Amino acid sequence: MALGLALAPFATIALAGAAFAHHGWSWAEGEQMELKGSIESISMAPPHPMLKVKDAKGVVWQVDLGNPGQTARSGFTGDTAKVGDGIIVLGNRHKDPKEMHMKAVRITIKGVNYDMYPERIRTN
């Protein structure tokens, strides 16, 4: 029991760090961008489903989707797309330009839109 109490602060810090890393928009730019490429991998695991997308230059991006409920409501499931499918991602990229990481507000596969955050979509 004493060991458990001694380790509790470390577990709390680790969980808080994971929550911070996967929630909110503060790490992302306010301006949206479009990423075109092909799907390298699909993960539907919590806390956020995620895609790896290779762009035309061969750079692989991490694309975070909505939380599992939002992603399901958008119509996107683990069976919606497959590795190699073309994709267009509208979203907000990481503030650090060295990070190939973005949060999707909409993904488009085979002409079908999957809106993760419809209230955030800006198109012009």
Side-chain angles (χ1 to χ4, degrees):
M1 173 126 159
L3 179 60
L5 289 174
L7 294 176
F10 297 106
T12 301
I13 291 168
L15 290 173
F20 176 77
H22 292 285
H23 292 92
W25 293 81
S26 63
W27 60 271
E29 290 183 349
E31 186 175 324
Q32 292 181 343
M33 64 168 279
E34 189 175 85
L35 171 67
K36 293 181 181 181
S38 61
I39 298 173
E40 291 283 300
S41 68
I42 301 169
S43 171
M44 299 303 286
H48 287 283
M50 177 197 65
L51 306 173
K52 294 285 186 172
V53 175
K54 184 186 285 188
D55 69 16
K57 294 180 182 177
V59 176
V60 177
W61 288 73
Q62 177 177 317
V63 177
D64 294 344
L65 304 179
N67 67 46
Q70 287 168 307
T71 300
R73 283 189 296 280
S74 79
F76 186 83
T77 70
D79 298 323
T80 303
K82 63 184 183 317
V83 170
D85 283 349
I87 187 170
I88 301 170
V89 181
L90 176 67
N92 302 74
R93 75 167 294 154
H94 199 288
K95 286 180 180 175
D96 181 347
K98 291 181 248 160
E99 294 286 333
M100 301 297 111
H101 184 194
M102 67 186 294
K103 193 163 187 172
V105 295
R106 168 185 283 163
I107 60 174
T108 305
I109 301 168
K110 298 178 185 169
V112 178
N113 292 334
Y114 301 92
D115 296 339
M116 306 296 146
Y117 297 93
E119 71 283 358
R120 289 184 164 268
I121 295 170
R122 292 186 224 132
T123 56
N124 290 10

